[in-house]
Amino acid sequence: MDKSLKLASSIAAALMLSACNSSSDGPVEDGGSAMRPPVVSDSEVVNKWFEPAADRVNAIKASQTAYPMTAKNIILFIGDGMGLTTHTAGRIYAAQSAYNKGEYEGFEGGEEFQTSFEQFPHFALSKTYASNGQTPDSGSTMSAIMSGVKINKYALNVSDEVQIRDCVDLEGKGLLTAMDLANLAKMSTGVVTNTRVTHATPAGTYASISLRDVEDDTNGAKCEGTYDIAEQLVHYQNKFKDGFQGVQTDLESGIDVVLGGGARSFFPDGEGGRRRDGQNLVETWKDLTGGSFVADKYDLEDVTQTPVFGLFNFTHMEYEVDREVRGDEPSLIDMTEKAIELLQAHDNENGFFLVIEGGRIDQAHHAGWGNMALAEYEMFIEAVQRATDMVNLDETMVLVTADHSHTDSISGNVKRGNPIAGLAYDVEGEVRLANDGLPFTTRHYANSDIGGQGGALDGNSRADLSNVDTEKLTFKQPAAVKANGGGETHAGEDVGIWATGAGSSHVRGVLEQNSIFHIINKVGQLEQKASQQL
């Protein structure tokens, strides 16, 4: 039989096998079909793999034309540091966690689980390198997503002519962002994060500066006569008064909803902050906007209209496990729900643009806490689910992506259902041992601040993990190399983009990261709507 006939025979056999309701243990009878599938003991074993896969492909095909090509509203989720390995491990962690709580009945090990956004019909890869870096930072990556061009590492929304810490006139070098265009288009807007609102990713929506560290007048080399990042946020509604990027106009308001941490950059030293210039920027914001300032989850629950500015921690907000102990911080899920509720309440005919960052995934990785990163990922996927449930996808595009990845890996030839936060077990259920005779975890970092402690891959100095709680959230995952000058680093591989709703079919292929801006701009018609308002 030639190759083409063998292939046809195999396909036909597979299709017939998936369709049959029972199987025969007997031989093929004379006169039976030559295309009869091979004998199996239980066709349901095959069907559980075959039919769901076929259903998934059919659903994706049906969705290609299910939504309009343009969107009134856009929600952009950024899982900071959520590389594809983190996403894979997070999927398994979420399933295993749900099973342990008695909340996942279909559990087969966790690998089969689908997260909220894995069920989106459209997917692409995003190339994350910076203008001057193979491995990027959040400043360069978020600027690419927001401005449509790649820039140098550690800057925010300035052209790559501008070098780090350059105190130059940004005239002609500052970049318009998708958030700027949305505000110029008189859309309702919001930024939500569980990091500081002045941190690189949220700041990438509104700020232009040569060094992302200049969050206030104490952090980094502030250029004379310029606004630091906190000042840029508070004075955002005046951004175009002097003709930024050739656009001279008065915005009716600033960003309508801003929720996150980072109070330290908005209050004077000794008054709940660390500013040395004595400014109380929260009072300035209230005077400029007439909006409501909130400092805990109870105040946030009571807010019914915008603008609203929430600062819930001196610095970054707590990890989810610690937030529950503290008790007064809203979760990322809480903030997501409230932001959408408030923006929808506007009933703005021009729609809304909302950016939501799950930022502590990244920070857990930097600390070497791989399990904590997965716990934060678990909350992130729930926030995406809540948002998707709250909107009309016929008029809203929901995008989920990451700014960059990390150096975590899953390895070890482990069994199906291996505890993703634990030691490596082989397919027979035995603990796998390394060449030094000691067990190892199924997840490792390429580098971290501990290097050889607890997990070097080269030599006999590794700690014996036999009696160590490797599933503890603050367990530091083993690493091959000790990072120089801090914690675990970013990695440079592509990250995912998942999309659903109106205009989501634009997300496909392998894209430069700055293409995300152009998708948002095209689908939301931001430039067009902004031009109509000017």
Side-chain angles (χ1 to χ4, degrees), residues 223-259:
C223 299
E224 185 178 351
T226 64
Y227 280 152
D228 55 55
I229 293 172
E231 289 175 313
Q232 289 189 47
L233 175 57
V234 166
H235 292 278
Y236 182 82
Q237 70 185 76
N238 297 321
K239 183 169 185 175
F240 296 98
K241 277 193 172 180
D242 296 326
F244 179 78
Q245 276 293 80
V247 179
Q248 188 159 16
T249 188
D250 288 330
L251 294 176
E252 292 181 358
S253 65
I255 301 170
D256 296 292
V257 178
V258 178
L259 305 174

Short mmCIF file of all heavy atoms in Angstrom, two decimals, residues 223-259:
data_model
loop_
_atom_site.label_atom_id
_atom_site.label_comp_id
_atom_site.label_asym_id
_atom_site.label_seq_id
_atom_site.Cartn_x
_atom_site.Cartn_y
_atom_site.Cartn_z
N CYS A 223 14.02 64.67 35.96
CA CYS A 223 14.50 65.75 35.12
C CYS A 223 13.86 67.07 35.54
O CYS A 223 12.64 67.13 35.76
CB CYS A 223 14.19 65.47 33.65
SG CYS A 223 14.96 63.97 33.02
N GLU A 224 14.65 68.11 35.64
CA GLU A 224 14.14 69.42 36.07
C GLU A 224 13.06 69.93 35.12
O GLU A 224 13.18 69.85 33.90
CB GLU A 224 15.31 70.42 36.11
CG GLU A 224 14.91 71.78 36.67
CD GLU A 224 16.08 72.74 36.75
OE1 GLU A 224 17.23 72.29 36.53
OE2 GLU A 224 15.85 73.92 37.04
N GLY A 225 12.00 70.42 35.73
CA GLY A 225 10.92 71.01 34.95
C GLY A 225 9.97 70.01 34.32
O GLY A 225 9.14 70.39 33.50
N THR A 226 10.09 68.73 34.69
CA THR A 226 9.20 67.71 34.13
C THR A 226 8.39 67.06 35.24
O THR A 226 8.75 67.11 36.41
CB THR A 226 9.98 66.63 33.38
OG1 THR A 226 10.81 65.91 34.32
CG2 THR A 226 10.85 67.22 32.30
N TYR A 227 7.32 66.45 34.86
CA TYR A 227 6.49 65.71 35.80
C TYR A 227 7.03 64.30 36.00
O TYR A 227 7.43 63.62 35.04
CB TYR A 227 5.06 65.59 35.27
CG TYR A 227 4.18 66.79 35.46
CD1 TYR A 227 3.14 67.04 34.56
CD2 TYR A 227 4.34 67.66 36.54
CE1 TYR A 227 2.30 68.13 34.73
CE2 TYR A 227 3.51 68.76 36.71
CZ TYR A 227 2.49 68.99 35.81
OH TYR A 227 1.66 70.06 35.98
N ASP A 228 7.05 63.85 37.27
CA ASP A 228 7.30 62.43 37.51
C ASP A 228 6.02 61.65 37.15
O ASP A 228 4.99 62.23 36.79
CB ASP A 228 7.75 62.17 38.95
CG ASP A 228 6.78 62.71 40.00
OD1 ASP A 228 5.58 62.35 39.94
OD2 ASP A 228 7.20 63.48 40.89
N ILE A 229 6.08 60.33 37.25
CA ILE A 229 4.96 59.51 36.78
C ILE A 229 3.69 59.76 37.57
O ILE A 229 2.59 59.85 37.00
CB ILE A 229 5.35 58.01 36.79
CG1 ILE A 229 6.44 57.75 35.74
CG2 ILE A 229 4.14 57.12 36.55
CD1 ILE A 229 7.04 56.37 35.79
N ALA A 230 3.80 59.90 38.90
CA ALA A 230 2.62 60.17 39.71
C ALA A 230 1.99 61.50 39.31
O ALA A 230 0.76 61.62 39.22
CB ALA A 230 3.00 60.17 41.20
N GLU A 231 2.82 62.51 39.07
CA GLU A 231 2.29 63.81 38.64
C GLU A 231 1.62 63.69 37.26
O GLU A 231 0.59 64.34 37.01
CB GLU A 231 3.43 64.83 38.59
CG GLU A 231 3.95 65.25 39.96
CD GLU A 231 5.15 66.16 39.86
OE1 GLU A 231 6.09 65.84 39.09
OE2 GLU A 231 5.16 67.21 40.54
N GLN A 232 2.21 62.90 36.38
CA GLN A 232 1.60 62.73 35.06
C GLN A 232 0.21 62.12 35.16
O GLN A 232 -0.71 62.49 34.41
CB GLN A 232 2.49 61.88 34.16
CG GLN A 232 3.77 62.57 33.72
CD GLN A 232 4.53 61.80 32.67
OE1 GLN A 232 3.94 61.34 31.68
NE2 GLN A 232 5.84 61.65 32.85
N LEU A 233 0.03 61.18 36.08
CA LEU A 233 -1.29 60.58 36.27
C LEU A 233 -2.29 61.60 36.81
O LEU A 233 -3.41 61.74 36.29
CB LEU A 233 -1.19 59.39 37.22
CG LEU A 233 -2.51 58.72 37.60
CD1 LEU A 233 -3.28 58.25 36.38
CD2 LEU A 233 -2.26 57.55 38.56
N VAL A 234 -1.89 62.33 37.83
CA VAL A 234 -2.79 63.28 38.48
C VAL A 234 -3.16 64.43 37.53
O VAL A 234 -4.30 64.91 37.52
CB VAL A 234 -2.15 63.81 39.78
CG1 VAL A 234 -2.88 65.03 40.30
CG2 VAL A 234 -2.13 62.71 40.83
N HIS A 235 -2.22 64.86 36.72
CA HIS A 235 -2.46 65.97 35.80
C HIS A 235 -2.83 65.48 34.40
O HIS A 235 -2.76 66.25 33.44
CB HIS A 235 -1.21 66.86 35.72
CG HIS A 235 -0.91 67.61 36.98
ND1 HIS A 235 -1.53 68.79 37.31
CD2 HIS A 235 -0.06 67.32 38.01
CE1 HIS A 235 -1.07 69.22 38.48
NE2 HIS A 235 -0.18 68.35 38.92
N TYR A 236 -3.25 64.25 34.30
CA TYR A 236 -3.48 63.66 32.98
C TYR A 236 -4.46 64.46 32.12
O TYR A 236 -4.27 64.61 30.92
CB TYR A 236 -3.98 62.21 33.12
CG TYR A 236 -4.19 61.53 31.79
CD1 TYR A 236 -3.12 60.96 31.10
CD2 TYR A 236 -5.44 61.50 31.19
CE1 TYR A 236 -3.29 60.37 29.86
CE2 TYR A 236 -5.63 60.89 29.95
CZ TYR A 236 -4.55 60.33 29.29
OH TYR A 236 -4.72 59.76 28.06
N GLN A 237 -5.50 65.00 32.71
CA GLN A 237 -6.50 65.71 31.90
C GLN A 237 -5.94 66.97 31.26
O GLN A 237 -6.54 67.53 30.34
CB GLN A 237 -7.73 66.04 32.74
CG GLN A 237 -7.52 67.11 33.80
CD GLN A 237 -8.76 67.27 34.66
OE1 GLN A 237 -9.04 66.46 35.53
NE2 GLN A 237 -9.53 68.32 34.38
N ASN A 238 -4.76 67.41 31.70
CA ASN A 238 -4.11 68.59 31.11
C ASN A 238 -3.02 68.20 30.10
O ASN A 238 -2.29 69.08 29.62
CB ASN A 238 -3.49 69.46 32.21
CG ASN A 238 -4.54 70.00 33.17
OD1 ASN A 238 -5.63 70.37 32.76
ND2 ASN A 238 -4.19 70.03 34.45
N LYS A 239 -2.93 66.93 29.79
CA LYS A 239 -1.82 66.43 28.98
C LYS A 239 -1.70 67.13 27.63
O LYS A 239 -0.60 67.34 27.12
CB LYS A 239 -1.98 64.92 28.78
CG LYS A 239 -0.84 64.26 28.00
CD LYS A 239 -0.92 62.74 28.06
CE LYS A 239 0.29 62.10 27.39
NZ LYS A 239 0.30 60.62 27.54
N PHE A 240 -2.83 67.51 27.04
CA PHE A 240 -2.80 68.04 25.69
C PHE A 240 -2.99 69.56 25.63
O PHE A 240 -3.14 70.12 24.55
CB PHE A 240 -3.88 67.34 24.85
CG PHE A 240 -3.62 65.87 24.69
CD1 PHE A 240 -4.27 64.96 25.51
CD2 PHE A 240 -2.70 65.40 23.78
CE1 PHE A 240 -4.03 63.60 25.39
CE2 PHE A 240 -2.44 64.05 23.66
CZ PHE A 240 -3.10 63.14 24.46
N LYS A 241 -2.95 70.20 26.79
CA LYS A 241 -3.13 71.66 26.81
C LYS A 241 -2.01 72.37 26.07
O LYS A 241 -2.23 73.41 25.45
CB LYS A 241 -3.22 72.17 28.25
CG LYS A 241 -4.62 72.04 28.84
CD LYS A 241 -4.74 72.82 30.13
CE LYS A 241 -6.20 72.84 30.58
NZ LYS A 241 -6.38 73.60 31.84
N ASP A 242 -0.80 71.82 26.17
CA ASP A 242 0.34 72.46 25.52
C ASP A 242 0.70 71.82 24.19
O ASP A 242 1.79 72.04 23.66
CB ASP A 242 1.55 72.42 26.46
CG ASP A 242 1.32 73.22 27.73
OD1 ASP A 242 0.63 74.26 27.65
OD2 ASP A 242 1.81 72.80 28.81
N GLY A 243 -0.20 71.00 23.66
CA GLY A 243 0.02 70.45 22.32
C GLY A 243 0.90 69.23 22.28
O GLY A 243 1.73 69.10 21.37
N PHE A 244 0.74 68.32 23.23
CA PHE A 244 1.53 67.08 23.22
C PHE A 244 1.32 66.34 21.91
O PHE A 244 0.19 66.10 21.48
CB PHE A 244 1.13 66.19 24.41
CG PHE A 244 1.87 64.88 24.48
CD1 PHE A 244 3.16 64.84 24.98
CD2 PHE A 244 1.28 63.70 24.06
CE1 PHE A 244 3.85 63.65 25.06
CE2 PHE A 244 1.95 62.49 24.13
CZ PHE A 244 3.25 62.47 24.63
N GLN A 245 2.42 66.00 21.25
CA GLN A 245 2.40 65.30 19.96
C GLN A 245 1.54 66.02 18.91
O GLN A 245 0.90 65.40 18.08
CB GLN A 245 1.89 63.87 20.13
CG GLN A 245 2.97 62.88 20.56
CD GLN A 245 4.01 62.67 19.47
OE1 GLN A 245 4.92 63.47 19.30
NE2 GLN A 245 3.90 61.57 18.74
N GLY A 246 1.53 67.35 19.02
CA GLY A 246 0.81 68.14 18.03
C GLY A 246 -0.69 68.20 18.25
O GLY A 246 -1.41 68.79 17.44
N VAL A 247 -1.17 67.59 19.34
CA VAL A 247 -2.60 67.61 19.65
C VAL A 247 -2.84 68.61 20.77
O VAL A 247 -2.34 68.44 21.88
CB VAL A 247 -3.11 66.22 20.08
CG1 VAL A 247 -4.60 66.29 20.40
CG2 VAL A 247 -2.83 65.19 19.01
N GLN A 248 -3.56 69.66 20.48
CA GLN A 248 -3.84 70.67 21.50
C GLN A 248 -5.35 70.73 21.75
O GLN A 248 -6.13 71.12 20.89
CB GLN A 248 -3.33 72.05 21.07
CG GLN A 248 -3.42 73.10 22.18
CD GLN A 248 -2.49 74.27 21.93
OE1 GLN A 248 -1.99 74.46 20.84
NE2 GLN A 248 -2.26 75.06 22.96
N THR A 249 -5.72 70.31 22.94
CA THR A 249 -7.14 70.28 23.29
C THR A 249 -7.28 70.15 24.79
O THR A 249 -6.30 69.85 25.49
CB THR A 249 -7.86 69.10 22.59
OG1 THR A 249 -9.26 69.21 22.81
CG2 THR A 249 -7.38 67.76 23.13
N ASP A 250 -8.47 70.39 25.29
CA ASP A 250 -8.77 70.17 26.70
C ASP A 250 -9.55 68.86 26.82
O ASP A 250 -10.61 68.71 26.20
CB ASP A 250 -9.62 71.31 27.27
CG ASP A 250 -8.81 72.59 27.45
OD1 ASP A 250 -7.60 72.48 27.69
OD2 ASP A 250 -9.40 73.68 27.34
N LEU A 251 -9.01 67.93 27.62
CA LEU A 251 -9.77 66.73 27.93
C LEU A 251 -10.83 67.08 28.97
O LEU A 251 -10.56 67.84 29.90
CB LEU A 251 -8.86 65.63 28.47
CG LEU A 251 -7.83 65.05 27.50
CD1 LEU A 251 -6.95 64.04 28.23
CD2 LEU A 251 -8.51 64.40 26.31
N GLU A 252 -12.00 66.52 28.82
CA GLU A 252 -13.06 66.81 29.78
C GLU A 252 -12.73 66.26 31.16
O GLU A 252 -13.17 66.78 32.17
CB GLU A 252 -14.39 66.23 29.28
CG GLU A 252 -14.91 66.94 28.03
CD GLU A 252 -16.24 66.38 27.57
OE1 GLU A 252 -16.73 65.41 28.21
OE2 GLU A 252 -16.78 66.90 26.57
N SER A 253 -11.98 65.18 31.18
CA SER A 253 -11.60 64.57 32.46
C SER A 253 -10.33 63.77 32.25
O SER A 253 -9.85 63.64 31.11
CB SER A 253 -12.71 63.66 32.98
OG SER A 253 -12.89 62.56 32.11
N GLY A 254 -9.79 63.24 33.33
CA GLY A 254 -8.66 62.35 33.23
C GLY A 254 -9.16 60.93 33.02
O GLY A 254 -10.25 60.70 32.49
N ILE A 255 -8.38 59.97 33.47
CA ILE A 255 -8.80 58.57 33.40
C ILE A 255 -9.88 58.37 34.45
O ILE A 255 -9.72 58.73 35.61
CB ILE A 255 -7.59 57.64 33.63
CG1 ILE A 255 -6.53 57.92 32.57
CG2 ILE A 255 -8.00 56.19 33.61
CD1 ILE A 255 -5.19 57.25 32.82
N ASP A 256 -11.00 57.79 34.05
CA ASP A 256 -12.18 57.76 34.91
C ASP A 256 -12.03 56.85 36.13
O ASP A 256 -12.56 57.15 37.20
CB ASP A 256 -13.39 57.31 34.10
CG ASP A 256 -13.73 58.30 33.00
OD1 ASP A 256 -14.16 59.41 33.32
OD2 ASP A 256 -13.54 57.97 31.82
N VAL A 257 -11.35 55.72 35.95
CA VAL A 257 -11.18 54.76 37.05
C VAL A 257 -9.71 54.38 37.13
O VAL A 257 -9.14 53.88 36.16
CB VAL A 257 -12.02 53.48 36.82
CG1 VAL A 257 -11.80 52.49 37.95
CG2 VAL A 257 -13.50 53.81 36.69
N VAL A 258 -9.10 54.64 38.28
CA VAL A 258 -7.70 54.24 38.52
C VAL A 258 -7.68 53.52 39.86
O VAL A 258 -7.98 54.13 40.91
CB VAL A 258 -6.75 55.44 38.55
CG1 VAL A 258 -5.33 54.97 38.85
CG2 VAL A 258 -6.79 56.21 37.24
N LEU A 259 -7.32 52.24 39.86
CA LEU A 259 -7.34 51.43 41.08
C LEU A 259 -6.05 50.62 41.17
O LEU A 259 -5.65 49.97 40.20
CB LEU A 259 -8.53 50.47 41.08
CG LEU A 259 -9.93 51.07 40.90
CD1 LEU A 259 -10.97 49.96 40.78
CD2 LEU A 259 -10.26 52.01 42.05
#
